[in-house]
Amino acid sequence: MLSETSRVADELLSPSADRTAHDGVPRAHLDALGASGALGLATRNPALLRRATEIVSAADGATWFVYAQHHQPVRAVAASDNQILRDRWLTPLLTGRPLSGHAISTCPSHATRS
């Protein structure tokens, strides 16, 4: 799995990193990472995920950012007590067919006032 992730990084991500930083992350990058098994590492051995993260981040920072965003929601689905949610989403998320991400927002009405 890591050898395939390294191949994707060397042959696809690194050569296009400048273009990706300027134009955005092409879906093909994420599809290639999914095919390599790298998008399914969030629920596996943390050392494998850490090594794959190092490989992707060294090759292309923009793709790494999108790649990293995918893992936390996958972990949340995997840990959920909601069996229907897990049945519907876990396997597709592990293969990268749908991508996930997370966001944080604050509500101005709840902001601390001086």
Side-chain angles (χ1 to χ4, degrees), residues 68-112:
Q69 289 280 314
H70 179 74
H71 294 297
Q72 184 57 38
V74 173
R75 282 189 206 102
V77 169
S80 175
D81 291 335
N82 184 332
Q83 185 66 43
I84 295 170
L85 176 73
R86 285 196 321 273
D87 289 347
R88 167 70 176 93
W89 288 106
L90 187 56
T91 297
L93 285 167
L94 292 174
T95 62
R97 286 192 308 264
L99 295 171
S100 62
H102 61 270
I104 298 172
S105 176
T106 61
C107 178
S109 65
H110 296 293
T112 304

Side-chain angles (χ1 to χ4, degrees), residues 3-104:
S3 62
E4 184 62 17
T5 301
S6 292
R7 186 193 64 74
V8 168
D10 293 342
E11 296 177 8
L12 178 64
L13 304 183
S14 287
S16 61
D18 288 340
R19 187 176 66 248
T20 300
H22 183 267
D23 297 338
V25 178
R27 177 64 198 215
H29 285 194
L30 304 167
D31 290 342
L33 289 170
S36 78
L39 290 176
L41 293 175
T43 61
R44 299 186 70 186
N45 181 327
L48 283 176
L49 175 60
R50 186 172 32 261
R51 182 63 187 125
T53 298
E54 291 169 352
I55 291 166
V56 174
S57 66
D60 179 355
T63 298
W64 164 80
F65 184 77
V66 176
Y67 169 77
Q69 289 280 314
H70 179 74
H71 294 297
Q72 184 57 38
V74 173
R75 282 189 206 102
V77 169
S80 175
D81 291 335
N82 184 332
Q83 185 66 43
I84 295 170
L85 176 73
R86 285 196 321 273
D87 289 347
R88 167 70 176 93
W89 288 106
L90 187 56
T91 297
L93 285 167
L94 292 174
T95 62
R97 286 192 308 264
L99 295 171
S100 62
H102 61 270
I104 298 172

